[in-house]
Amino acid sequence: MSLPPNKIPTGPIDKAWTDRKFSMKLVNPANRRKYTVIVVGSGLAGASAAASLGELGYNVHCFCFQDSPRRAHSIAAQGGINAAKNYQNDGDSVYRLFYDTVKGGDFRAREANVYRLAEVSVNIIDQAVAQGVPFAREYGGLLANRSFGGAQVSRTFYARGQTGQQLLLGAYSALERQIAKGTVKMHPRTEMLDLVVVDGRARGIVVRDLTTGAISSYVADAVCLGTGGYGNAFYLSTNAKGCNVTAAWRASKRGAYFANPCFTQIHPTCIPVAGSYQSKLTLMSESLRNDGRVWVPKDPANCGKHPSEIAEADRDYYLERKYPSFGNLSPRDIASRAAKEACDDGRGVGPMVEGVRRGVYLDFADAIQRIGKAAVAEKYGNLFEMYQRITGEDPYEVPMRMYPAVHYTMGGLWVDYQLQSTIPGLFVIGEANFSDHGANRLGASALMQGLADGYFVLPFTLADYLAGVKPDGMATTHSAFRAVEGEVVAKNDKLLSIRGKRTVDSFHRELGLLMWDKCGMARTEEGLDEALQRIPALREEFWQNVTVSGSGAELNQSLEKAGRVADFLEFGEVMCLDARTRAESCGGHFRTEFQDEGEAKRNDAEYSHVSAWQYTGVGNAPVLHKEALEFNYVHPVTRSYK
Amino acid sequence: MNFLLSFWRSTVGAKVVVAVTGLILLGFTLFHMIGNLQVFLGADEMNTYGAFLHKPEILWAGRAVVFGSIGLHIVAQAKLVAATAIARPTGYRKWNAKASTIYSRTMKYTGPIILIFFVLHLLNLTTGAEFGFYVHPEPYLQDGNVPRAFENLTSLLGNPLWATFYIVANLALASHLWHGAFSMTKTLGLSGVRQLRLARVIASVFTLTVTGGNIAITTACVLHLVK
Amino acid sequence: MRLTLHIWRQKAPTARGGKGDFEKYEVNDVSEHMSFLEMLDVLNERLETEGKDPIAFEHDCREGICGSCGFVINGSAHGPVPRTTVCQLHMRSFKDGDELVLEPWRARAFPILRDLIVDRSSFDRIIQAGGYVSTNTGSAPEANSVPVTKDSADRAMDAAACIGCGACVAMCPNASASLFTAAKVAHLNLLPQGQPERLIRTEKMVLQMDAEGFGHCTNHGDCSAVCPKGISVINIAQMNREYIEATLFSSPREGDTGDGA
């Protein structure tokens, strides 16, 4: 099956969403409760969608694997949320936010989607404030803004360093209100393990109750996935430990195409790996680069020394040297790659982990001298404290050590303008879809997109779909549900019966390291070919030699992890294949072969398209479908930060 | 009156009852201590004061307020303690206090000690003869309905055993008030940082004043400094 | 370093009659740079290769914000370091030869599901009782149309920083959830957007807290002392005051039970 139409409205872009909202069908308020909608995931996208649909009167079931919807990983976002309010009178507008996002995404996102995102951004702030989100305020009582991630306007709204938490608690409180009213039934500690498609429509899901282990099904008229990103394919990332690709990948195996899986974002300022036992990476706010200077020793022989013993002349402030106009504030992807190059060059600092020092200094000595320790503490005190808690080093005395880490995934399930996947009735929102960020996401845009989809897009587009289908009283006794349940049970039984020698984590770590080396910050055809050879072998070994203790009929964290890692072992191959097929560099996707002295070299003639991959069976090559991208408003140019 | 019942049933409501009655009892302890300081002025002053308190309308109003407060204080707190006793069915093998104090954690022990003391104190100095707790050889009331307050007190506390018991009981009272007098301000909703700091100071001074005064009286009696 | 751990193991949930007991584990080669949970990861991998059940503990973000993790280490919720969740606690806080007792949060309202994992859904039900501003999507006014004093916004943020981990309940000698509930009440009640439902919110959340079987507050302050976000007990005093106002000094319209169920 080729890609369905992307349903992008024709006509002027600034009217597109308004016109579409008018032309879409509606569901009569009295009929809404007859429709059941499943929302999987309770992060910003899932919680806002479930709450909004509940308010409209649909019969909603919401699922999350955590113990409470409030714990979804959106909660960890620190920096802020963009909105084109222009409160600072610095020339911002919907059009400028749209322009910046398309450009920041390195011209690999759909213009119409991005414009809609910028347009509804202003409503998100209104909604969040009304819910009681305690955004930072000026003394006059109005909302404060800051410039974030190199943006030239101050359009970022924030709540200390906990913006994601506060926005999620806002959406969560709206969700809990609907749960109390009975419009939403919440299913925490329940993991979606498969999608049920009946007569070509998504009709429900099969889930495992993580407390009792019971496998059961839920029927609905539409299913919506807000299940987040797949950064944990790399094992080490800034994602929460539970983040996984399972829901999206199993939907993909049922016919939803996966778009641009190789588009992943690396964040340049994370605390480096300290040892082989490392379980996750911690992000330090990018704002640190406003005052910190990045350097490594010029001579690899100095790398083992204490930084205070390395003379000024022996230090290489490589960002300032290579990118004199942006210096330490160079974009995320550029700063990340430069750090990798320095460490690959043998000039990394910090402890040796598996034979390599992976870290660069982020030094505040100059800032302390310039503005004083108190002023530095005022700005970054809590971050310094966090750094010291984790590393045991005092950043006022010793430069911080930083290294890039996987942070966000722009790729995801392919959706049309109405957020519907290639399976009718399956909608995908938030980080789980591929939509709006192209090949690179701008800072403070993830929260915006999750909430835009959940509050202000899905409630309209879902109605358009539901208005065209009739509730038919289908029950979980339907043979399609029985069959999928059987497959899920069989898969879990298989995992439990292998009783091999290697733990799930050891496979996950091996896959992650391979992905990071070959499909991480810099990718080569050769390396990707090697990964494509090794992943199937690792998968094979996994199914022969993994050990999962306990049984399926109890709370079993090993079994949960095993299912997720099994999916990463299939999905990782698609990521590598996508990265290999896209023979250009763009945004977060950097193919070493395609560069101009370290700058990503885009190939618009051949790759100005979305790559959507159709699953054809484990080990079989997926089929590539291309959706051409058109740029009628923002014309592709080469990014330059020199 | 459902709203009162609902208030009483809630933990916050019951705690407010404990706090309000506690506040009344604070007033009582202060008034009682100041009154008793007259022991230093001699028998006449003290007994005249006793006679004043013995006017029926004052006596019964006082008793109603004090006994009523004590009763409600105990019933409300007992209700809370009973509910909380099952809030943690399995205890910890190890538990380290972080901010709670020996005073706050022993409220449920110092409370009953104070109650026992209160009962004995009443028997000691008023109507305890038939139970053998009334110490002074002559009857409680002299002619003209004047109580033998001074004589009762000095002879009772002249006994080192009773004096020790009274001092111990006052230390329990000090512990109880040290936490209670401050805690009640929060229960009743005092929430400003500055106001709470002030409340802590007032509660501390109050506790030391009341129990210090009581102990001074006891000490003076046992050392026969007042005659 | 080497450590001896005494860990609470419980296979079946308390709600289904499960009982548990302590088991002793020796862990060697603990690096001081490991987080506490990474130390348990290493132990779990060993147990799994030996074919034994790993120790179940809850965790997710491992950066101190999701509120999933938490257990009591040697009598302290989240361990010995103030303002730190157990996922951010590092082994340099311990020394070679230490014996550590690991216990789950213990409260009737937090029944144990397995080992160190407890069911905290009671917190969600407290929110359902009134921890929201009743505003439907799309109905919000322009964000800057209602000024909020910086002071209120900052105080609301102080309270809103609560991560719902449950350490306050775990550490309270009475197993009271007052700090959690009060933080939630304060967050919304301090903001102009929360005013219309201020009293009914407070009343309903307090009653739900009681209904869940938590103990009462006696102002010990242990809750705040172990709170990883340093939520102040002042919030409890504020909640008490508003509860008094709601129940004794206000007269809701007959039959008005608020927005929720």
Side-chain angles (χ1 to χ4, degrees), chain B residues 93-106:
Chain B
R93 178 153 147 190
K94 267 194 164 181
W95 184 88
N96 287 323
K98 296 287 172 186
S100 59
T101 58
I102 186 85
Y103 316 110
S104 70
R105 288 194 309 275
T106 53

Side-chain angles (χ1 to χ4, degrees), chain A residues 65-239:
Chain A
F65 69 78
Q66 295 91 343
D67 73 320
S68 161
R70 62 163 292 149
R71 306 210 196 277
H73 192 57
S74 307
I75 206 156
Q78 299 171 355
I81 178 165
N82 287 332
K85 283 283 197 186
N86 192 31
Y87 283 159
Q88 306 308 321
N89 195 32
D90 56 0
D92 199 14
S93 63
V94 167
Y95 198 89
R96 188 174 295 281
L97 177 55
F98 154 69
Y99 178 90
D100 288 352
T101 308
V102 171
K103 183 173 174 234
D106 218 1
F107 304 95
R108 291 295 174 262
R110 284 187 196 136
E111 281 191 328
N113 282 54
V114 177
Y115 194 91
R116 176 178 64 190
L117 175 66
E119 194 177 326
V120 302
S121 68
V122 296
N123 305 110
I124 296 172
I125 302 303
D126 298 344
Q127 185 64 28
V129 166
Q131 286 168 343
V133 171
F135 283 124
R137 299 264 166 182
E138 305 290 355
Y139 276 97
L142 303 182
L143 290 153
N145 290 114
R146 63 183 171 199
S147 153
F148 193 81
Q152 290 177 301
V153 290
S154 292
R155 62 159 76 101
T156 303
F157 295 77
Y158 60 99
R160 301 220 176 120
Q162 300 151 37
T163 318
Q165 180 197 32
Q166 293 310 315
L167 288 168
L168 182 61
L169 291 180
Y172 159 79
S173 68
L175 176 63
E176 292 295 329
R177 173 171 165 246
Q178 292 309 309
I179 295 169
K181 286 189 160 185
T183 59
V184 178
K185 169 90 179 95
M186 187 70 215
H187 304 267
R189 293 191 195 274
T190 308
E191 183 169 24
M192 167 181 164
L193 290 182
D194 219 327
L195 179 76
V196 183
V197 180
V198 183
D199 299 330
R201 280 176 56 203
R203 288 310 305 273
I205 60 173
V206 173
V207 299
R208 180 167 181 270
D209 178 324
L210 300 182
T211 311
T212 64
I215 305 284
S216 61
S217 303
Y218 289 84
V219 185
D221 297 290
V223 176
C224 175
L225 302 185
T227 50
Y230 48 84
N232 278 348
F234 296 90
Y235 185 67
L236 287 181
S237 78
T238 65
N239 283 186

Side-chain angles (χ1 to χ4, degrees), chain A residues 52 55 68 71 85 87 126 132 141 160 172 176-177 180 189 241-242 279-280 390 503 509 554-555, chain C residues 38 45 48 57-58 60-63 66 92 114 124 128 136-137 142-143 148 158 160 164 187 259 261:
Chain A
S52 302
E55 288 161 10
S68 161
R71 306 210 196 277
K85 283 283 197 186
Y87 283 159
D126 298 344
R160 301 220 176 120
Y172 159 79
E176 292 295 329
R177 173 171 165 246
R189 293 191 195 274
K241 292 293 283 176
S279 63
K280 86 148 266 161
I390 292 170
T503 60
R509 267 198 297 271
E554 59 183 336
L555 194 161
Chain C
E38 284 166 351
E45 286 215 60
E48 283 181 276
F57 60 90
E58 200 134 40
D60 201 20
C61 77
R62 295 206 179 190
E63 50 187 270
C66 75
R92 67 182 72 89
R114 182 167 192 154
D124 288 326
Q128 283 159 31
N136 284 357
T137 304
E142 213 297 317
V148 180
D158 289 342
H187 160 205
D259 183 69

Side-chain angles (χ1 to χ4, degrees), chain B:
Chain B
M1 300 307 265
N2 271 343
F3 75 101
L4 282 181
L5 196 63
S6 161
F7 183 76
W8 167 255
R9 280 186 183 148
S10 71
T11 54
V12 175
K15 199 73 208 177
V16 166
V17 172
V18 175
V20 170
T21 51
L23 188 63
I24 295 168
L25 293 169
L26 283 187
F28 167 69
T29 56
L30 182 67
F31 177 75
H32 184 69
M33 186 278 291
I34 292 172
N36 283 0
L37 282 179
Q38 296 179 71
V39 78
F40 292 109
L41 301 178
D44 287 352
E45 296 278 350
M46 182 82 178
N47 289 346
T48 313
Y49 167 66
F52 165 73
L53 290 182
H54 252 269
K55 286 184 184 162
E57 61 274 24
I58 292 184
L59 185 65
W60 288 106
R63 280 180 181 170
V65 170
V66 173
F67 291 173
S69 296
I70 290 175
L72 268 176
H73 195 73
I74 293 170
V75 172
Q77 187 58 35
K79 184 180 90 81
L80 288 168
V81 169
T84 293
I86 53 166
R88 177 167 293 137
T90 312
Y92 289 104
R93 178 153 147 190
K94 267 194 164 181
W95 184 88
N96 287 323
K98 296 287 172 186
S100 59
T101 58
I102 186 85
Y103 316 110
S104 70
R105 288 194 309 275
T106 53
M107 293 294 278
K108 58 177 173 254
Y109 306 115
T110 50
I113 292 174
I114 295 163
L115 178 66
I116 292 167
F117 164 72
F118 179 76
V119 172
L120 285 176
H121 184 49
L122 277 181
L123 295 173
N124 279 155
L125 295 171
T126 58
T127 59
E130 51 199 293
F131 308 104
F133 284 117
Y134 183 65
V135 176
H136 198 260
E138 290 167 81
Y140 174 52
L141 290 181
Q142 312 177 52
D143 301 340
N145 232 13
V146 176
R148 263 179 237 284
F150 182 85
E151 295 81 355
N152 281 349
L153 195 66
T154 48
S155 61
L156 173 78
L157 296 180
N159 177 338
L161 285 177
W162 278 116
T164 309
F165 172 65
Y166 270 57
I167 289 172
V168 169
N170 265 289
L171 291 176
L173 180 65
S175 171
H176 203 78
L177 296 189
W178 187 264
H179 175 70
F182 177 51
S183 176
M184 67 172 56
T185 62
K186 290 190 266 190
T187 302
L188 295 175
L190 192 72
S191 64
V193 175
R194 290 176 180 171
Q195 291 80 348
L196 282 171
R197 257 183 233 141
L198 184 64
R200 176 68 267 179
V201 172
I202 293 175
S204 307
V205 170
F206 181 91
T207 303
L208 296 176
T209 308
V210 168
T211 54
N214 288 344
I215 290 173
I217 294 165
T218 312
T219 313
C221 292
V222 75
L223 298 178
H224 302 291
L225 298 177
V226 287
K227 292 189 185 97

Side-chain angles (χ1 to χ4, degrees), chain A residues 276-458:
Chain A
S276 54
Y277 48 80
Q278 187 95 21
S279 63
K280 86 148 266 161
L281 297 170
T282 303
L283 183 143
M284 299 295 287
S285 168
E286 221 170 352
S287 62
L288 289 169
R289 291 200 284 146
N290 290 337
D291 283 300
R293 295 181 71 196
V294 179
W295 64 275
V296 290
K298 281 181 180 162
D299 181 356
N302 285 336
C303 288
K305 285 188 186 165
H306 191 274
S308 63
E309 293 166 17
I310 303 171
E312 191 62 29
D314 294 331
R315 301 177 175 189
D316 177 13
Y317 295 89
Y318 58 87
L319 283 176
E320 296 169 22
R321 173 171 59 81
K322 288 181 177 172
Y323 309 99
S325 61
F326 276 74
N328 296 303
L329 288 171
S330 302
R332 289 178 175 181
D333 51 337
I334 288 173
S336 300
R337 278 197 299 278
K340 178 180 169 15
E341 279 163 24
C343 297
D344 288 351
D345 204 18
R347 298 189 293 140
V349 295
M352 285 266 190
V353 179
E354 273 139 28
V356 196
R357 294 182 206 274
R358 289 199 174 85
V360 299
Y361 288 125
L362 181 62
D363 200 334
F364 286 85
D366 283 2
I368 291 171
Q369 205 160 37
R370 192 177 70 244
I371 57 176
K373 188 174 167 178
V376 169
E378 166 85 9
K379 274 177 151 171
Y380 308 112
N382 56 345
L383 292 167
F384 278 29
E385 221 172 87
M386 178 160 99
Y387 180 85
Q388 186 164 16
R389 199 179 302 141
I390 292 170
T391 62
E393 291 174 359
D394 178 4
Y396 295 105
E397 303 297 326
V398 187
M400 284 184 168
R401 286 175 295 109
M402 290 288 150
Y403 200 66
V406 175
H407 174 53
Y408 186 87
T409 55
M410 283 75 69
L413 290 174
W414 184 90
V415 289
D416 60 23
Y417 183 72
Q418 312 224 135
L419 303 179
Q420 184 168 243
S421 72
T422 51
I423 302 175
L426 178 69
F427 291 77
V428 190
I429 54 177
E431 192 181 352
N433 71 26
F434 86 103
S435 76
D436 306 350
H437 305 297
N440 177 50
R441 179 178 65 74
L442 290 180
S445 284
L447 303 180
M448 173 173 70
Q449 186 227 336
L451 290 176
D453 288 358
Y455 284 134
F456 297 111
V457 180
L458 186 79

